[in-house]
Amino acid sequence: MKSIYKISIYFLVLLILTDCVSEIPNASNFEPQVFISGFLTDGAEHVTIKIQRTVSVENENLDPINDAQILLYTKDASGNSELVTSSFNVSNGTYSSADTVVSIIGNTYWVEIILADGTTFKSDEEILKEAITIKDIEITNELNRVIFADPLADTNFYLINFLFYNNNGSLTLKVNELTNDVLFNGNDSATFDSTEFLVNNPQEVRVNISNLNFNTYQYYLNQFAQFENQITNAGSENDPGQLFLPPPANLTGNIMNISNNTRALGFFGVQATTLFSKRF
């Protein structure tokens, strides 16, 4: 799986033309949309959410939204809801909660975002699942393996990051993978192998496992698939086969525009993350 560092490429629209194709102006068809992205993880943190409008391909500048109101809510296992915070500081479209938010495993969280014109967005209510226990890392010439305990209670979805460091302590490679636990549900010593990118004799390897909700997992899947289709298979810009590649998809996630009852771009992820480090 290709590195998530490259995901920003997804949001560039490439117009690839051949000698027999005429350029069709698209500026008149462009309609800006609101893009929202943010996370809430386990532990104590300042919750950060980015809000901006999409821009046309001719515009190289971002269009941040700095006048939105954000409300973060939670619901406990008994169904009691409360406002966690509505106090956020904003800079260039990035909102950070004024106070530290202490999240609770098993609680459900969501955000509501109100723009200056009254347009209102709401993320799906997602449960903060338990953090995963990582037991070991194995690195060979054939695979990168992480061993961990998978909960039995329900179906789990994971984002797994392998980070490789050299003798100087510098990050040399980051590999990102997605998986569910269909093949190892409830296994106390579940294994996941990454074989596409291998590093010989790393000095240190760190693994992050994020326990995702389904909608966030699906959002990452769409990102990875779009990168594979639009970048990995891009080939030469003079290749007529470019015309038959799947078009870039709007990466809708778990955000609903409740003003017009449509899915919006982006997502607000609720996930617990575990870090494990091993020197070799």
Side-chain angles (χ1 to χ4, degrees), residues 1-7 10 174-176 197 224 227:
M1 192 64 64
K2 302 297 184 294
S3 172
I4 204 170
Y5 284 150
K6 299 178 182 177
I7 285 177
Y10 296 160
K174 181 177 180 181
V175 179
N176 297 277
F197 291 97
F224 288 178
F227 178 76

Side-chain angles (χ1 to χ4, degrees), residues 1-28:
M1 192 64 64
K2 302 297 184 294
S3 172
I4 204 170
Y5 284 150
K6 299 178 182 177
I7 285 177
S8 60
I9 300 174
Y10 296 160
F11 304 105
L12 299 177
V13 179
L14 303 179
L15 298 180
I16 302 173
L17 305 172
T18 62
D19 293 338
C20 60
V21 179
S22 298
E23 181 176 355
I24 301 175
N26 65 347
S28 61

Side-chain angles (χ1 to χ4, degrees), residues 83-255:
L83 176 67
V84 177
T85 184
S86 60
S87 180
F88 285 81
N89 301 316
V90 59
S91 175
N92 199 30
T94 298
Y95 295 75
S96 180
S97 60
D99 300 315
T100 300
V101 173
V102 180
S103 57
I104 301 172
I105 299 295
N107 272 22
T108 299
Y109 293 88
W110 69 96
V111 291
E112 294 184 10
I113 297 171
I114 305 171
L115 303 187
D117 64 0
T119 303
T120 302
F121 300 88
K122 179 180 181 294
S123 67
D124 293 341
E125 299 179 10
E126 293 194 349
I127 190 170
L128 181 59
K129 298 183 177 183
E130 64 182 293
I132 298 303
T133 300
I134 301 177
K135 297 188 172 183
D136 199 7
I137 302 171
E138 296 178 0
I139 304 297
T140 71
N141 292 330
E142 298 179 349
L143 58 83
N144 308 314
R145 170 175 290 169
V146 59
I147 303 170
F148 61 97
D150 178 77
L152 179 62
D154 60 0
T155 301
N156 293 95
F157 305 91
Y158 300 122
L159 172 64
I160 302 177
N161 311 123
F162 291 86
L163 300 95
F164 298 87
Y165 293 83
N166 61 19
N167 293 332
N168 297 324
S170 299
L171 178 66
T172 59
L173 178 67
K174 181 177 180 181
V175 179
N176 297 277
E177 304 277 11
L178 288 166
T179 186
N180 57 44
D181 66 353
V182 171
L183 298 179
F184 48 78
N185 184 36
N187 190 332
D188 189 57
S189 295
T191 62
F192 178 82
D193 298 340
S194 174
T195 59
E196 186 169 354
F197 291 97
L198 303 174
V199 176
N200 290 327
N201 302 317
Q203 181 71 18
E204 180 183 2
V205 179
R206 301 174 190 173
V207 173
N208 296 321
I209 298 183
S210 296
N211 195 355
L212 310 176
N213 286 268
F214 174 75
N215 286 337
T216 301
Y217 171 78
Q218 190 63 48
Y219 184 85
Y220 281 128
L221 280 179
N222 291 339
Q223 285 185 322
F224 288 178
Q226 182 162 310
F227 178 76
E228 292 287 344
N229 289 331
Q230 298 302 132
I231 305 301
T232 306
N233 299 321
S236 168
E237 63 181 23
N238 296 318
D239 180 5
Q242 297 289 314
L243 299 176
F244 304 100
L245 289 176
N250 284 331
L251 294 174
T252 55
N254 66 350
I255 305 286

